[in-house]
Amino acid sequence: MKFLKSFLIILSLFLIVFSYTVFAKSEKVTVEFEENKISLTLPDNYEYYTNKDVDKNSNYFSSFPIDKNKAIENIGDGTYIDAFNEKAGREITFTITSDSFSQKIGNFTPMDENDKKSVIKTLKSTFKKNNQDSISEPKIIEIDGYDFMEFNCRIGNGDTGYSYKSIISIISGNCYEFMFFSNISVPDSEISEEFEDVIDSINLDMKGETGEIVKSVILSIISIIVIIVAAIVAILMVYSLVREVINKRNHSEKVRLKKRD
């Protein structure tokens, strides 16, 4: 009897693990551009298209809440991944865009803390002007060696509002942004956990961009070295002048003493 109970417990655990493995239908999505590659894993029940699907027929887009024309428009605006869970009212996008602001920033990751705070403050004020209220304070997270700004915002309230999480970094003058939308104004724990799982799955293979990051870091190091060398030279010059003045005074004192003698 004890053996039977033990067997049934083990069988139940096995079935739970097996059923989870069978019915979990998460899917890894990868997009490539130039020498770079970015991937993420979408949870179950998400349908998606990428920038490579632009030439597919209209029927391919029939299951999405947007038609082919809108998808083409989104791709033209920099969308590389657009995924929908229409039943749950959620959407995940990945876009690459560029404007005067991102080009001015260049690379966000190697910036010092004060400059990063200034960039975050600028973006936060931009969201505020567009009636997008912050749910929480922005923060910086690290993904594969790159610093990203995380914003949690909402538009509207109650039944008419929705919320989103925006993960942004600026690399080589381009804005890399992952957006996570939900049709409720304040995301619950289930939504937050789902989106965090996707963020944890993001993989950045940025061969083409790494050179720019390294270049910026090297330039920063060179600038620091130049400043240090200049400071040392200045100190040596001051020291040399002081020594010269002291030597002149000592020499004058010796001459005066000799004249007395």
Side-chain angles (χ1 to χ4, degrees):
M1 192 69 176
K2 288 183 178 179
F3 173 80
L4 181 60
K5 285 183 178 180
S6 300
F7 174 78
L8 290 174
I9 290 172
I10 294 171
L11 180 62
S12 298
L13 291 172
F14 174 80
L15 289 174
I16 290 171
V17 173
F18 179 77
S19 62
Y20 178 82
T21 305
V22 169
F23 292 107
K25 299 178 181 178
S26 58
E27 183 169 358
K28 184 175 181 179
V29 183
T30 302
V31 291
E32 299 182 17
F33 48 97
E34 298 174 359
E35 299 178 33
N36 306 312
K37 183 187 296 183
I38 288 179
S39 65
L40 55 80
T41 301
L42 294 172
D44 188 17
N45 296 323
Y46 274 81
E47 296 180 293
Y48 69 92
Y49 67 88
T50 72
N51 61 317
K52 297 299 183 182
D53 297 322
V54 65
D55 294 327
K56 292 187 176 179
N57 61 46
S58 299
N59 292 333
Y60 179 81
F61 298 90
S62 61
S63 60
F64 300 140
I66 61 173
D67 59 17
K68 180 177 179 177
N69 291 333
K70 182 60 178 176
I72 292 173
E73 181 183 336
N74 291 343
I75 292 170
D77 290 337
T79 297
Y80 280 73
I81 300 173
D82 196 355
F84 306 92
N85 183 341
E86 192 173 4
K87 184 178 180 180
R90 300 170 197 171
E91 183 179 3
I92 298 172
T93 66
F94 167 60
T95 60
I96 303 175
T97 57
S98 180
D99 56 21
S100 58
F101 179 73
S102 63
Q103 290 172 5
K104 181 180 178 181
I105 298 302
N107 289 297
F108 181 74
T109 300
M111 297 175 73
D112 64 36
E113 293 303 314
N114 289 331
D115 288 338
K116 286 180 179 178
K117 288 178 181 178
S118 178
V119 174
I120 290 174
K121 184 178 180 180
T122 299
L123 290 175
K124 185 178 177 181
S125 64
T126 301
F127 297 152
K128 185 67 176 177
K129 288 178 182 177
N130 293 324
N131 298 317
Q132 301 173 28
D133 297 321
S134 295
I135 298 174
S136 61
E137 282 301 309
K139 64 180 180 179
I140 294 177
I141 64 172
E142 186 269 332
I143 300 176
D144 284 351
Y146 294 88
D147 286 341
F148 279 74
M149 297 164 277
E150 179 181 302
F151 297 90
N152 291 287
C153 301
R154 69 167 169 237
I155 298 177
N157 294 291
D159 295 334
T160 60
Y162 68 89
S163 58
Y164 70 86
K165 180 189 293 287
S166 176
I167 309 295
I168 304 173
S169 189
I170 299 173
I171 305 170
S172 293
N174 295 316
C175 180
Y176 291 73
E177 182 172 21
F178 297 88
M179 292 279 283
F180 303 84
F181 297 91
S182 173
N183 63 357
I184 60 176
S185 57
V186 179
D188 57 25
S189 58
E190 178 192 342
I191 295 171
S192 298
E193 289 174 7
E194 178 177 280
F195 289 164
E196 288 299 327
D197 286 343
V198 177
I199 293 170
D200 290 341
S201 76
I202 294 173
N203 180 61
L204 306 176
D205 185 0
M206 308 281 283
K207 295 178 182 177
E209 307 293 348
T210 303
E212 294 295 327
I213 295 290
V214 172
K215 182 180 177 182
S216 295
V217 173
I218 290 174
L219 288 175
S220 299
I221 294 172
I222 291 173
S223 298
I224 292 170
I225 292 172
V226 169
I227 291 171
I228 293 172
V229 171
I232 293 172
V233 170
I235 291 170
L236 291 174
M237 288 178 65
V238 171
Y239 176 76
S240 178
L241 289 172
V242 171
R243 288 284 298 175
E244 186 176 346
V245 170
I246 292 172
N247 288 335
K248 283 183 178 180
R249 283 182 179 177
N250 290 338
H251 178 72
S252 298
E253 184 65 21
K254 287 180 181 179
V255 170
R256 188 176 65 82
L257 291 173
K258 282 184 178 179
K259 284 181 178 180
R260 279 186 178 184
D261 294 340

